[in-house]
Amino acid sequence: MRAAIVLLLLAVACGRRAPTGRADLFVDATEQTGLRFRHFNGAAGRFHLPEIMGSGVALLDYDGDGDLDVLLVQGDFLDKREPVSKALFPLPAGHARGSRLFRNELVPAGRLRFTDITDSVGLRHSGAGMGVAAGDYDNDGDTDLYLTAAGPNTLFRNDGGRFTDVTRAARVQDQRWSTSAAFLDYDRDGDLDLFVANYVDFTLQNSKICSTAAGAPDYCTPKAFRPVPDRLFRNDGNGAFTDVTASAGIGLLAGPGLGVTCADFNGDGWPDIYVANDGEANHLWLNQRNGTFREAALASGVAFSEDGLPQAGMGVSAGDYDQDGDDDIVVTNLTREGSTLYRYEGTGFFSDVSARSGLRIPTFAFTGFGVDWFDYDNDGWLDLFVANGAVTMIESLRGQPFPFQQRNQLFRNQRGEFKDVTAAAGPALALMEVTRGAVFGDLDQDGDLDIVVSNNNGPARVFLNQRGPAASWLRVRLQGTASNRQGLGARVGLFRAGRPPLWRRVHTDSSYLSASEPVAHFGLDGADSLERIMVMWPTGKREQWAAPRPGATVTMREGSGRPAR
């Protein structure tokens, strides 16, 4: 009885409803939780392409108190000579300029509430911000942040909850238009390296204004500009990085990169890098285990769509949606292309199963950006959320101030086939906005996964999952010793009696311009008999532990388990 009362009080305190039989799967708790942020895209009627592309969001426990805080990336004028009065969509009164960090007050206050603490922690980031990567690159137990922009990128080192700009000292500068970035340990030496996707060679001097079919001014496609190569920085372990883009082979190809996900895509135990390119062949960089990479997207079946055409790749994620033990890839694309699902066949090759899985047709009318696999209903199968918003004018919205709005989509995984359940999810997900970033984590610590999204020229949103304690779950957090501190890149397997194991990848990358919570979340469907947990650490070591009881978040420390094969 006491536990039930506590759960009820927590639901009320968080601005949530206790279970009432309503069909809503998610509720918009933005206002109740105090996450007051509005994106400013700097548009002043010149249709500079970066205006319509940003921006991202991150979930991280920046202060180590056990709950998830939120970082939101802000935009700005590309031309600093533009006065605020010229902005077509100015910031409302009371909204601060620059990217903002919001502290979660759940611990110790017991109430989900966000407080803007940006200025007090030294996180000063301005400019035309795009994305964010989160990871503990110096292995000191604090999550650091790398923010990308249409302009200079910035690395903020976290020292006990205070941030310092160490970009120059760490040697990770990039002046080009960077988009998504990812921390990964590509050389398996125990510290996190940095991959940065770059988009196109856009400058104010070569900016163009394109037009709709009716002749109205509009944003250009990336084909109006030259693509540029991505970059790879190796962590030297002394607080600095070395640019190994050329020596690693990453610089051999250019592409308009937007989304990045890092996983072992060929089963050799080493992390590879997949990049969603906008309007050109996607890239799959296979790790050669000697510091170099080989591009193999075409040979692996993940460069083009099923009909052999390049698509406008935006967001991307990897996960084992069909429970066969390996990671599959989903890519969001432009309107009239549909999202693409590549299923891994176990032989180094992927098949495009977008149509057969039921994903292509429901996404055909949308332009997708942020995306990730997450088990929203805790049934053990990875579901899918797609953040949508157009990049060129929608004719049916002509005459509106910002005619790019679309609704987001939620897909339930029905044992390998997907059903669009957005309509049943409640009015929160039916909002018509221009959504870009999407991140996933348990904000209110009730055992289900919540969503935070960022909107271009609009407010951030907190969508709280209403599943709560209605289904059992288990969450695994890693602490590396020989591996990187957060265990990024590790695969966690939950073995169940009489059923196939569930595999999850610990990561912060994927989606679009964004970084999610680095925890392996397992929905248990209320009927699983758990046997053991296996961790395949980024260094290649394998360990196992007896399975803990459901309904808990446990930490597995490297070296504390039993050897596993």
Side-chain angles (χ1 to χ4, degrees):
M1 176 65 72
R2 179 177 295 177
I5 292 174
V6 170
L7 286 171
L8 178 61
L9 289 175
L10 182 58
V12 174
C14 294
R16 301 182 55 176
R17 296 177 180 267
T20 62
R22 284 189 58 177
D24 292 357
L25 299 174
F26 289 88
V27 296
D28 184 349
T30 309
E31 186 63 28
Q32 300 96 308
T33 58
L35 193 73
R36 296 185 178 91
F37 175 90
R38 187 176 183 87
H39 180 257
F40 174 72
N41 64 10
R46 301 179 188 276
F47 291 90
H48 296 313
L49 183 55
E51 296 166 357
I52 198 65
M53 301 302 290
S55 60
V57 53
L59 294 181
L60 69 153
D61 183 7
Y62 90 93
D63 50 1
D65 65 354
D67 55 27
L68 288 172
D69 312 298
V70 180
L71 183 283
L72 286 149
V73 181
Q74 185 60 287
D76 202 350
F77 289 115
L78 288 165
D79 188 342
K80 301 304 181 186
R81 296 169 297 181
E82 296 278 15
V84 174
S85 59
K86 280 193 174 182
L88 297 179
F89 314 103
L91 275 172
H95 281 259
R97 301 291 291 272
S99 300
R100 312 303 297 177
L101 179 63
F102 293 83
R103 183 179 63 217
N104 189 343
E105 309 291 355
L106 183 65
V107 178
R111 182 178 184 225
L112 180 60
R113 185 78 181 177
F114 294 101
T115 301
D116 186 340
I117 45 82
T118 310
D119 298 332
S120 65
V121 298
L123 191 68
R124 298 178 179 87
H125 179 258
S126 59
M130 283 288 143
V132 54
D136 183 5
Y137 80 88
D138 53 0
N139 282 333
D140 67 349
D142 301 317
T143 301
D144 311 298
L145 296 169
Y146 186 77
L147 277 72
T148 65
N153 298 338
T154 309
L155 176 63
F156 288 100
R157 188 185 65 214
N158 185 348
D159 297 308
R162 293 280 306 178
F163 289 89
T164 303
D165 181 346
V166 295
T167 313
R168 185 172 299 277
R171 302 196 299 263
V172 289
Q173 305 99 316
D174 198 317
Q175 301 289 328
R176 295 172 294 183
W177 180 0
S178 300
T179 53
S180 294
F183 284 106
L184 75 157
D185 185 6
Y186 82 88
D187 50 6
R188 303 204 323 185
D189 66 350
D191 52 34
L192 291 174
D193 312 296
L194 177 63
F195 182 89
V196 181
N198 287 315
Y199 193 39
V200 294
D201 183 23
F202 170 91
T203 65
L204 287 174
Q205 290 69 37
N206 69 10
S207 182
K208 303 174 178 65
I209 296 180
C210 297
S211 60
T212 67
D218 204 356
Y219 290 101
C220 297
T221 73
K223 293 187 180 299
F225 306 94
R226 180 177 59 86
V228 294
D230 303 323
R231 297 186 77 178
L232 179 63
F233 297 94
R234 185 190 66 220
N235 191 334
D236 295 333
N238 58 2
F241 293 75
T242 296
D243 186 345
V244 295
T245 306
S247 61
I250 299 294
L252 293 175
L253 293 174
L258 286 180
V260 175
T261 188
C262 305
D264 179 10
F265 291 115
N266 59 359
D268 67 353
W270 290 70
D272 310 303
I273 304 169
Y274 184 81
V275 182
N277 286 319
D278 188 0
E280 297 189 11
N282 299 322
H283 291 159
L284 174 58
W285 295 103
L286 292 181
N287 196 328
Q288 301 300 288
R289 298 175 284 179
N290 60 3
T292 68
F293 289 82
R294 175 174 61 88
E295 205 290 307
L298 182 61
S300 301
V302 292
F304 302 114
S305 66
E306 191 173 28
D307 52 9
L309 297 175
Q311 295 178 296
M314 313 286 192
V316 62
S317 184
D320 184 15
Y321 85 94
D322 51 2
Q323 294 190 9
D324 65 351
D326 47 46
D327 282 336
D328 313 289
I329 301 172
V330 63
V331 182
T332 57
N333 299 301
L334 198 64
T335 300
R336 294 185 294 279
E337 291 180 345
S339 294
T340 305
L341 176 57
Y342 298 107
R343 184 183 66 203
Y344 186 60
E345 303 296 349
T347 58
F349 187 79
F350 292 77
S351 294
D352 184 340
V353 296
S354 312
R356 282 171 282 170
S357 68
L359 192 60
R360 175 170 294 166
I361 292 177
T363 57
F364 193 76
F366 298 89
T367 294
F369 280 89
V371 63
D372 213 345
W373 302 106
F374 78 127
D375 184 4
Y376 79 85
D377 54 1
N378 280 342
D379 68 350
W381 293 84
L382 289 175
D383 310 299
L384 201 63
F385 177 84
V386 182
N388 294 315
V391 290
T392 56
M393 184 185 299
I394 299 174
E395 285 298 322
S396 61
L397 300 181
R398 180 185 292 276
Q400 293 191 14
F402 200 56
F404 307 98
Q405 303 163 11
Q406 295 178 328
R407 66 170 175 84
N408 300 319
Q409 292 175 289
L410 178 67
F411 293 91
R412 185 168 187 256
N413 186 345
Q414 299 178 313
R415 288 171 168 74
E417 295 185 359
F418 293 92
K419 179 182 179 181
D420 187 340
V421 295
T422 312
L429 300 191
L431 293 170
M432 294 287 289
E433 295 179 311
V434 188
T435 310
R436 294 293 181 252
V439 288
F440 308 81
D442 190 0
L443 293 173
D444 49 5
Q445 298 186 2
D446 66 348
D448 56 29
L449 292 174
D450 309 301
I451 309 171
V452 179
V453 300
S454 57
N455 287 304
N456 185 282
N457 186 49
R461 299 283 183 187
V462 178
F463 298 136
L464 285 184
N465 192 333
Q466 299 296 280
R467 187 69 173 173
S472 57
W473 50 273
L474 179 67
R475 291 163 55 77
V476 178
R477 181 177 288 113
L478 300 182
Q479 186 177 97
T481 53
S483 301
N484 70 83
R485 181 71 173 262
Q486 294 173 303
L488 297 190
R491 300 189 73 224
V492 182
L494 178 62
F495 288 76
R496 310 173 292 173
R499 304 180 71 176
L502 298 175
W503 287 97
R504 301 290 184 261
R505 179 174 55 97
V506 176
H507 66 102
T508 59
D509 61 19
S510 300
S511 192
Y512 172 76
L513 306 179
S514 299
S516 288
E517 177 188 22
V519 171
H521 178 98
F522 298 94
L524 303 178
D525 202 19
D528 289 334
S529 178
L530 308 184
E531 295 180 332
R532 60 192 172 100
I533 290 176
M534 178 188 290
V535 177
M536 300 170 61
W537 293 96
T539 53
K541 181 179 180 180
R542 299 187 180 199
E543 288 185 284
Q544 61 184 358
W545 291 260
R549 285 188 173 186
T553 299
V554 296
T555 298
M556 302 299 187
R557 180 179 171 83
E558 188 175 14
S560 67
R562 294 178 287 115
R565 293 183 178 179

